[in-house]
Amino acid sequence: MAGVVGTVCLDTVGYLHHRRSGGEKGPLEWEFGPIAGWENAPDPGKVAKREIEGFTQRELPDRWAWPISTAMHWAYGQAVRYAYQHGLATPAQ
């Protein structure tokens, strides 16, 4: 549960930055809206794309940008939760 709460908090900060920088998407569209292609994908999705393409030696089509980016986004939140829970990381002082 802590990973979900942390991810939601970080998303809130990201969404507020989106709005303050002139973005017009609503919160649900911003969070869950489709991604047209890899050029519009967030960085975690692009990292996963590079890793998958390096492993498979095949280029991922644009239709995978949204599901891979979404999975990486939530997986990162859970990984950070795990690290804190098991003492692998500590909050900044």
Side-chain angles (χ1 to χ4, degrees):
M1 190 65 178
V4 172
V5 171
T7 301
V8 169
C9 289
L10 286 173
D11 283 356
T12 300
V13 171
Y15 177 71
L16 292 174
H17 176 70
H18 161 75
R19 292 299 296 224
R20 288 185 182 139
S21 64
E24 297 179 2
K25 293 181 180 178
L28 291 177
E29 181 185 4
W30 180 82
E31 177 66 23
F32 299 109
I35 298 168
W38 288 111
E39 67 279 351
N40 298 322
D43 290 338
K46 290 178 181 177
V47 169
K49 176 185 186 287
R50 285 194 302 268
E51 293 295 323
I52 293 168
E53 287 179 344
F55 182 74
T56 64
Q57 296 296 300
R58 293 183 178 189
E59 187 173 338
L60 284 173
D62 282 343
R63 72 175 183 267
W64 286 100
W66 182 80
I68 288 175
S69 295
T70 301
M72 285 300 297
H73 173 72
W74 287 97
Y76 178 77
Q78 294 305 310
V80 170
R81 184 238 0 127
Y82 181 87
Y84 281 113
Q85 182 179 5
H86 295 283
L88 303 172
T90 56
Q93 299 292 327

